[in-house]
């Protein structure tokens, strides 16, 4: 990619998608979903993070985040969720990245400023475990993306990669715990936790 000819939105999307790959891996490590041996420590944005050693795990996270790139660039992605669910596919906990990429911004993007702002999210994630809930046995997880609008060419290869999720939805508004937010034009990101409301029915049915 010739970065000299990259739009502010394209440059921002590239940095954000790379960050999301690292952040999602950090979340999966944080939840203890796999043995610690499945990860290795490395530095990213001058923060010690964990990367997945297993090719299938790292490949899944990479393909999901890389697949978001064209949609993030166009401002179509509203939220990226890492959802942990029980053995009946009912969500137990969600890590939510709410994203806004300003489409009217046309000045030069200071990559260092964006990276510095995103770096704070990775630091926060390393101490976020007390905010989370333990997972029941038989749990699973997935990454979902919520789009502001469907891509105009929904027949293209990138769009076809995204399919509806089988995970059930909560019936009540969730309890929200903020973790971190940032604003560095043209990018705004919020990260927060969602947990089921205490009045949420225990059995959501099919």
């Amino acid at each position: 990619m010739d970065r000299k000819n990259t739009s502010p939105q394209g440059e921002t999307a590239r940095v954000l998608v790379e960050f999301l790959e690292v952040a999602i891996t950090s979340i999966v490590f944080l939840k203890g979903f796999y043995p610690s041996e499945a990860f290795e420590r490395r530095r990213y944005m001058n923060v010690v993070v964990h990367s997945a050693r297993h090719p299938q795990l790292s490949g899944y996270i990479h393909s999901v985040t890389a697949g978001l790139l064209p949609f993030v660039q166009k401002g179509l992605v509203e939220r990226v969720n890492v959802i942990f669910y029980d053995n009946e596919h009912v969500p137990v906990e969600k890590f939510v990245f709410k994203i806004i990429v300003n489409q009217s911004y046309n000045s030069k993007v200071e990559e260092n400023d964006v990276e510095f702002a995103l770096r704070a999210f990775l630091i926060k994630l390393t101490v976020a475990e007390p905010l989370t809930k333990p997972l029941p046995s038989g749990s699973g997880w997935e990454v979902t993306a919520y789009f502001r609008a469907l891509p105009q060419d929904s027949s293209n290869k990138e769009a076809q990669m995204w399919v509806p999720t089988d995970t059930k939805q909560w019936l009540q508004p969730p309890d929200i715990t903020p973790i971190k937010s940032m604003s560095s034009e043209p990018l705004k990101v919020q990260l927060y936790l969602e947990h089921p409301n205490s009045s949420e029915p225990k059995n959501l049915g099919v």
Side-chain angles (χ1 to χ4, degrees):
M1 181 188 294
D2 184 359
R3 293 189 189 173
K4 291 182 180 178
N5 298 321
T6 303
S7 68
Q9 291 75 21
E11 180 68 9
T12 300
R14 181 191 64 78
V15 175
L16 178 63
V17 162
E18 187 180 88
F19 157 80
L20 284 173
E21 179 176 352
V22 176
I24 290 169
T25 306
S26 298
I27 288 168
V28 175
F29 173 81
L30 173 77
K31 294 301 297 178
F33 202 84
Y34 302 103
S36 57
E37 302 82 52
F39 301 86
E40 58 189 5
R41 288 156 65 93
R42 69 181 181 95
R43 280 197 170 269
Y44 174 74
M45 292 184 180
N46 208 28
V47 179
V48 175
V49 297
H50 290 85
S51 59
R53 299 176 66 179
H54 194 288
Q56 200 169 348
L57 176 58
S58 63
Y60 168 70
I61 296 173
H62 176 75
S63 66
V64 166
T65 51
L68 285 170
L69 181 59
F71 308 117
V72 171
Q73 183 174 336
K74 295 171 185 172
L76 293 175
V77 178
E78 181 182 7
R79 301 191 309 279
V80 177
N81 291 4
V82 186
I83 302 177
F84 296 89
Y85 51 81
D86 65 17
N87 58 7
E88 295 184 344
H89 250 78
V90 176
V92 176
E93 184 168 71
K94 300 180 186 180
F95 286 77
V96 182
F97 294 89
K98 190 174 183 181
I99 298 164
I100 297 175
V101 178
N102 184 351
Q103 295 299 295
S104 61
Y105 185 83
N106 56 14
S107 300
K108 183 178 184 298
V109 171
E110 296 297 335
E111 184 177 337
N112 287 344
D113 291 346
V114 176
E115 287 191 350
F116 182 79
L118 290 173
R119 176 177 175 269
F121 285 77
L122 298 174
I123 295 171
K124 276 283 188 180
L125 279 172
T126 63
V127 294
E129 187 175 9
L131 303 175
T132 67
K133 302 283 178 69
L135 298 177
S137 60
S139 299
W141 69 279
E142 66 181 10
V143 179
T144 62
Y146 292 82
F147 292 77
R148 290 186 172 86
L150 289 174
Q152 290 183 345
D153 182 10
S154 59
S155 62
N156 67 30
K157 189 175 179 182
E158 289 98 347
Q160 288 177 348
M161 174 182 159
W162 294 93
V163 297
T165 177
D166 291 328
T167 300
K168 297 178 174 70
Q169 302 299 310
W170 292 321
L171 302 178
Q172 301 292 328
D175 292 333
I176 293 175
T177 305
I179 295 178
K180 184 65 183 170
S181 63
M182 61 82 80
S183 179
S184 180
E185 285 288 11
L187 178 65
K188 292 182 180 179
V189 181
Q190 289 177 292
L191 171 60
Y192 52 90
L193 276 168
E194 289 186 353
H195 293 110
N197 190 295
S198 58
S199 61
E200 183 70 36
K202 298 302 180 188
N203 186 355
L204 297 183
V206 178

